[in-house]
Amino acid sequence: MAQGRLIKWGSDFVGANGSAAVLGPDIQAFGVGTETYAATVDESGGILALGTGATDNDNAVLRAGPFAPRDGKIVLNARFKYSNVDCAVFVGFTETLDTTTPVMPAEFDTATMTYNGTGGILGFNYDADGTTDDFRAVMGDGGAAISDSAQGTRASATLTADRWFEVTVILNEDGTGECWLGDSGHANAGSINRLRLIKRFSTGTLLTTTDLFFACLMIEDRTAAARTLEVDYLEGTAGRDWRFS
Protein backbone atom coordinates (compact mmCIF):
# COMPACT_ATOMS: atom_id res chain seq x y z
CA MET A 1 0.00 0.00 0.00
CA ALA A 2 1.48 3.32 -1.07
CA GLN A 3 1.89 5.91 1.65
CA GLY A 4 1.41 9.65 1.46
CA ARG A 5 -1.36 12.12 0.79
CA LEU A 6 -4.60 10.90 -0.80
CA ILE A 7 -5.75 13.03 -3.72
CA LYS A 8 -9.48 13.72 -3.85
CA TRP A 9 -10.66 14.97 -7.23
CA GLY A 10 -13.89 15.75 -9.06
CA SER A 11 -17.23 17.42 -8.49
CA ASP A 12 -20.88 16.67 -7.74
CA PHE A 13 -21.77 19.86 -9.64
CA VAL A 14 -23.77 21.42 -6.81
CA GLY A 15 -24.48 25.04 -7.69
CA ALA A 16 -24.27 24.50 -11.45
CA ASN A 17 -24.93 27.85 -13.08
CA GLY A 18 -24.82 27.06 -16.78
CA SER A 19 -21.17 27.94 -17.49
CA ALA A 20 -17.98 25.91 -17.86
CA ALA A 21 -16.73 27.41 -14.59
CA VAL A 22 -19.02 25.01 -12.75
CA LEU A 23 -16.61 22.18 -13.56
CA GLY A 24 -14.17 23.26 -10.87
CA PRO A 25 -10.37 23.19 -10.87
CA ASP A 26 -10.00 19.39 -11.05
CA ILE A 27 -11.89 18.76 -14.30
CA GLN A 28 -11.08 19.67 -17.89
CA ALA A 29 -13.79 19.85 -20.55
CA PHE A 30 -13.36 19.60 -24.33
CA GLY A 31 -14.74 17.78 -27.35
CA VAL A 32 -15.22 17.47 -31.09
CA GLY A 33 -17.81 19.84 -32.54
CA THR A 34 -19.66 22.43 -30.49
CA GLU A 35 -19.96 20.78 -27.09
CA THR A 36 -22.11 22.39 -24.37
CA TYR A 37 -21.98 22.51 -20.58
CA ALA A 38 -25.07 23.74 -18.75
CA ALA A 39 -27.05 23.35 -15.56
CA THR A 40 -30.01 20.98 -15.58
CA VAL A 41 -32.90 22.76 -13.88
CA ASP A 42 -35.30 19.80 -13.55
CA GLU A 43 -33.05 17.68 -11.29
CA SER A 44 -32.14 18.18 -7.65
CA GLY A 45 -28.64 18.53 -6.24
CA GLY A 46 -26.92 20.28 -9.13
CA ILE A 47 -26.66 18.35 -12.41
CA LEU A 48 -24.32 19.16 -15.29
CA ALA A 49 -25.77 18.69 -18.79
CA LEU A 50 -22.87 17.60 -21.01
CA GLY A 51 -23.97 17.96 -24.63
CA THR A 52 -22.55 17.09 -28.07
CA GLY A 53 -22.82 18.98 -31.32
CA ALA A 54 -25.20 17.83 -34.06
CA THR A 55 -22.68 16.34 -36.52
CA ASP A 56 -22.18 12.56 -36.57
CA ASN A 57 -19.50 11.51 -34.06
CA ASP A 58 -19.41 14.86 -32.28
CA ASN A 59 -18.45 14.32 -28.65
CA ALA A 60 -17.97 15.98 -25.29
CA VAL A 61 -15.52 14.96 -22.56
CA LEU A 62 -14.91 15.53 -18.86
CA ARG A 63 -11.38 14.60 -17.76
CA ALA A 64 -9.29 14.66 -14.57
CA GLY A 65 -5.73 13.66 -13.80
CA PRO A 66 -3.23 12.35 -14.64
CA PHE A 67 -2.66 9.68 -11.99
CA ALA A 68 -0.14 6.82 -11.72
CA PRO A 69 -1.25 3.46 -10.25
CA ARG A 70 2.17 2.92 -8.66
CA ASP A 71 1.40 5.84 -6.31
CA GLY A 72 -1.73 4.14 -4.97
CA LYS A 73 -5.13 2.86 -6.01
CA ILE A 74 -7.11 5.12 -8.39
CA VAL A 75 -10.90 5.18 -8.01
CA LEU A 76 -13.50 6.80 -10.27
CA ASN A 77 -17.15 7.19 -9.23
CA ALA A 78 -19.82 8.57 -11.55
CA ARG A 79 -23.61 8.87 -11.78
CA PHE A 80 -25.14 9.87 -15.11
CA LYS A 81 -27.95 9.31 -17.60
CA TYR A 82 -28.25 9.87 -21.33
CA SER A 83 -31.05 11.74 -23.12
CA ASN A 84 -31.35 9.15 -25.91
CA VAL A 85 -30.10 5.60 -26.30
CA ASP A 86 -28.58 6.26 -29.76
CA CYS A 87 -25.22 7.46 -28.48
CA ALA A 88 -21.91 6.13 -27.21
CA VAL A 89 -20.47 6.53 -23.70
CA PHE A 90 -17.09 5.78 -22.15
CA VAL A 91 -16.38 6.10 -18.45
CA GLY A 92 -13.15 5.03 -16.78
CA PHE A 93 -9.41 5.54 -17.23
CA THR A 94 -7.41 6.17 -20.37
CA GLU A 95 -3.76 6.91 -20.98
CA THR A 96 -4.33 8.47 -24.41
CA LEU A 97 -6.98 11.16 -25.01
CA ASP A 98 -6.19 14.08 -27.31
CA THR A 99 -7.73 17.34 -26.12
CA THR A 100 -8.15 18.79 -29.64
CA THR A 101 -9.83 15.85 -31.38
CA PRO A 102 -10.68 13.32 -28.64
CA VAL A 103 -11.54 9.79 -29.76
CA MET A 104 -13.51 7.27 -27.73
CA PRO A 105 -10.98 5.04 -25.89
CA ALA A 106 -13.08 1.99 -26.78
CA GLU A 107 -15.80 1.66 -29.44
CA PHE A 108 -18.16 -1.24 -30.17
CA ASP A 109 -19.45 -1.74 -33.72
CA THR A 110 -21.72 -4.66 -34.66
CA ALA A 111 -19.99 -7.32 -32.53
CA THR A 112 -16.41 -6.02 -32.35
CA MET A 113 -14.70 -3.92 -29.69
CA THR A 114 -11.99 -1.58 -30.97
CA TYR A 115 -9.38 -0.19 -28.60
CA ASN A 116 -8.15 3.21 -29.75
CA GLY A 117 -5.02 5.14 -28.90
CA THR A 118 -1.61 3.85 -27.91
CA GLY A 119 -2.04 3.66 -24.13
CA GLY A 120 -3.86 1.77 -21.44
CA ILE A 121 -7.65 1.70 -21.04
CA LEU A 122 -9.94 0.52 -18.22
CA GLY A 123 -13.65 1.20 -17.84
CA PHE A 124 -17.08 0.82 -19.44
CA ASN A 125 -18.10 1.22 -23.07
CA TYR A 126 -21.67 1.70 -24.28
CA ASP A 127 -22.13 2.09 -28.03
CA ALA A 128 -25.34 2.15 -30.06
CA ASP A 129 -23.33 1.04 -33.12
CA GLY A 130 -23.31 -2.47 -31.64
CA THR A 131 -25.86 -5.04 -32.71
CA THR A 132 -26.68 -5.75 -29.05
CA ASP A 133 -26.58 -2.66 -26.87
CA ASP A 134 -25.08 -2.91 -23.39
CA PHE A 135 -22.44 -1.52 -21.07
CA ARG A 136 -19.27 -3.58 -21.46
CA ALA A 137 -16.32 -3.67 -19.07
CA VAL A 138 -13.08 -3.29 -21.01
CA MET A 139 -9.34 -3.32 -20.49
CA GLY A 140 -6.85 -2.63 -23.27
CA ASP A 141 -3.36 -1.36 -24.02
CA GLY A 142 -1.50 -0.40 -27.19
CA GLY A 143 -4.64 -0.56 -29.30
CA ALA A 144 -5.52 -4.12 -28.29
CA ALA A 145 -7.49 -5.99 -25.66
CA ILE A 146 -5.65 -7.37 -22.63
CA SER A 147 -6.61 -9.51 -19.64
CA ASP A 148 -9.28 -11.52 -21.48
CA SER A 149 -11.23 -8.49 -22.74
CA ALA A 150 -11.46 -9.11 -26.49
CA GLN A 151 -15.09 -7.93 -26.79
CA GLY A 152 -15.56 -6.67 -23.24
CA THR A 153 -17.75 -8.19 -20.52
CA ARG A 154 -21.47 -7.41 -20.75
CA ALA A 155 -23.27 -5.90 -17.77
CA SER A 156 -26.75 -6.97 -19.00
CA ALA A 157 -27.92 -3.51 -17.97
CA THR A 158 -31.39 -2.07 -18.47
CA LEU A 159 -30.74 0.49 -21.20
CA THR A 160 -33.47 3.08 -20.79
CA ALA A 161 -33.08 6.74 -21.66
CA ASP A 162 -33.40 9.24 -18.81
CA ARG A 163 -32.58 6.61 -16.14
CA TRP A 164 -29.56 6.78 -13.85
CA PHE A 165 -26.43 4.64 -14.12
CA GLU A 166 -23.87 4.47 -11.33
CA VAL A 167 -20.32 3.39 -12.03
CA THR A 168 -17.19 2.67 -10.01
CA VAL A 169 -13.93 1.87 -11.81
CA ILE A 170 -10.85 0.91 -9.79
CA LEU A 171 -7.26 0.75 -11.06
CA ASN A 172 -5.05 -0.91 -8.48
CA GLU A 173 -1.37 -0.44 -7.61
CA ASP A 174 -0.47 -3.75 -9.31
CA GLY A 175 -2.17 -2.96 -12.64
CA THR A 176 -5.30 -5.01 -11.96
CA GLY A 177 -8.72 -3.40 -12.26
CA GLU A 178 -12.39 -3.67 -11.33
CA CYS A 179 -15.51 -2.39 -13.09
CA TRP A 180 -18.75 -1.97 -11.09
CA LEU A 181 -22.12 -0.80 -12.44
CA GLY A 182 -25.56 -0.07 -11.02
CA ASP A 183 -28.68 0.48 -13.12
CA SER A 184 -32.44 0.65 -12.76
CA GLY A 185 -32.92 -2.98 -13.74
CA HIS A 186 -30.86 -4.28 -10.81
CA ALA A 187 -32.29 -2.77 -7.62
CA ASN A 188 -32.24 -4.05 -4.05
CA ALA A 189 -35.29 -4.64 -1.86
CA GLY A 190 -35.52 -0.91 -1.23
CA SER A 191 -35.63 -0.17 -4.97
CA ILE A 192 -32.14 1.34 -4.81
CA ASN A 193 -29.85 0.62 -7.75
CA ARG A 194 -27.45 -2.16 -6.79
CA LEU A 195 -23.78 -1.74 -7.68
CA ARG A 196 -22.58 -5.00 -9.24
CA LEU A 197 -19.07 -6.22 -10.01
CA ILE A 198 -19.15 -6.76 -13.78
CA LYS A 199 -15.50 -7.70 -14.27
CA ARG A 200 -12.31 -8.03 -12.23
CA PHE A 201 -9.28 -7.87 -14.53
CA SER A 202 -6.54 -9.79 -12.74
CA THR A 203 -5.06 -12.33 -15.14
CA GLY A 204 -2.66 -12.25 -18.08
CA THR A 205 -1.23 -8.94 -19.26
CA LEU A 206 -2.21 -6.03 -17.00
CA LEU A 207 -1.81 -2.26 -17.13
CA THR A 208 1.60 -0.69 -16.55
CA THR A 209 1.72 0.85 -13.09
CA THR A 210 4.17 3.61 -14.00
CA ASP A 211 1.97 4.95 -16.82
CA LEU A 212 -0.12 8.08 -16.31
CA PHE A 213 -3.89 7.71 -16.63
CA PHE A 214 -6.70 10.24 -16.96
CA ALA A 215 -10.13 9.65 -15.44
CA CYS A 216 -12.79 10.53 -17.99
CA LEU A 217 -16.49 10.51 -18.82
CA MET A 218 -17.38 10.94 -22.48
CA ILE A 219 -20.46 10.98 -24.72
CA GLU A 220 -20.50 10.78 -28.53
CA ASP A 221 -23.51 11.04 -30.83
CA ARG A 222 -24.24 8.30 -33.33
CA THR A 223 -27.02 9.82 -35.48
CA ALA A 224 -25.89 13.35 -36.45
CA ALA A 225 -28.16 14.70 -33.72
CA ALA A 226 -27.07 16.43 -30.51
CA ARG A 227 -27.14 14.15 -27.47
CA THR A 228 -26.86 14.97 -23.77
CA LEU A 229 -25.32 13.22 -20.79
CA GLU A 230 -26.68 14.51 -17.48
CA VAL A 231 -23.95 14.08 -14.87
CA ASP A 232 -24.83 14.03 -11.17
CA TYR A 233 -21.24 13.54 -10.05
CA LEU A 234 -17.81 12.59 -11.35
CA GLU A 235 -15.28 12.18 -8.56
CA GLY A 236 -12.74 9.86 -7.03
CA THR A 237 -9.45 9.40 -5.25
CA ALA A 238 -5.85 8.66 -6.17
CA GLY A 239 -2.66 7.96 -4.29
CA ARG A 240 0.32 10.26 -4.08
CA ASP A 241 3.41 8.54 -2.81
CA TRP A 242 6.07 11.19 -2.24
CA ARG A 243 8.79 8.51 -2.23
CA PHE A 244 8.52 8.25 -5.99
CA SER A 245 8.52 11.99 -6.64
Side-chain angles (χ1 to χ4, degrees):
M1 176 69 69
Q3 304 298 313
R5 180 175 178 268
L6 186 69
I7 301 170
K8 296 182 179 180
W9 59 268
S11 177
D12 62 6
F13 305 112
V14 171
N17 59 14
S19 72
V22 68
L23 300 176
D26 300 330
I27 297 178
Q28 294 177 286
F30 47 88
V32 171
T34 306
E35 69 274 14
T36 60
Y37 313 94
T40 298
V41 298
D42 60 350
E43 301 282 357
S44 66
I47 308 297
L48 178 72
L50 178 66
T52 73
T55 301
D56 195 18
N57 295 324
D58 276 357
N59 59 48
V61 185
L62 301 178
R63 187 183 81 165
F67 311 111
R70 70 172 185 183
D71 294 339
K73 178 188 298 184
I74 313 170
V75 179
L76 176 153
N77 300 305
R79 184 173 186 257
F80 58 86
K81 60 182 177 179
Y82 40 64
S83 59
N84 303 75
V85 297
D86 54 352
C87 66
V89 174
F90 179 84
V91 55
F93 299 106
T94 180
E95 188 182 349
T96 308
L97 188 63
D98 185 85
T99 57
T100 303
T101 54
V103 176
M104 279 274 172
E107 297 179 290
F108 195 70
D109 190 347
T110 309
T112 301
M113 187 71 70
T114 298
Y115 293 84
N116 296 317
T118 59
I121 296 166
L122 171 68
F124 281 103
N125 159 273
Y126 166 78
D127 201 324
D129 279 348
T131 301
T132 303
D133 293 343
D134 205 348
F135 279 90
R136 291 173 167 83
V138 295
M139 180 183 269
D141 198 11
I146 60 173
S147 191
D148 190 29
S149 185
Q151 309 306 335
T153 299
R154 288 188 56 187
S156 298
T158 301
L159 302 174
T160 306
D162 201 35
R163 299 296 293 272
W164 293 110
F165 296 95
E166 298 177 5
V167 165
T168 293
V169 180
I170 302 170
L171 178 51
N172 293 308
E173 299 96 325
D174 59 358
T176 62
E178 298 178 12
C179 293
W180 298 71
L181 184 136
D183 67 278
S184 58
H186 296 86
N188 64 15
S191 298
I192 304 299
N193 291 359
R194 180 168 58 87
L195 205 61
R196 301 172 292 129
L197 176 62
I198 305 303
K199 178 67 175 180
R200 178 176 287 115
F201 296 101
S202 59
T203 60
T205 303
L206 301 173
L207 294 175
T208 303
T209 62
T210 55
D211 287 342
L212 296 177
F213 291 86
F214 290 93
C216 73
L217 175 58
M218 182 174 184
I219 181 172
E220 189 166 283
D221 75 60
R222 286 290 182 256
T223 59
R227 293 294 179 247
T228 301
L229 199 67
E230 292 187 347
V231 187
D232 185 12
Y233 56 80
L234 174 64
E235 55 83 26
T237 57
R240 175 184 285 163
D241 193 334
W242 60 267
R243 294 174 301 174
F244 295 111
S245 299

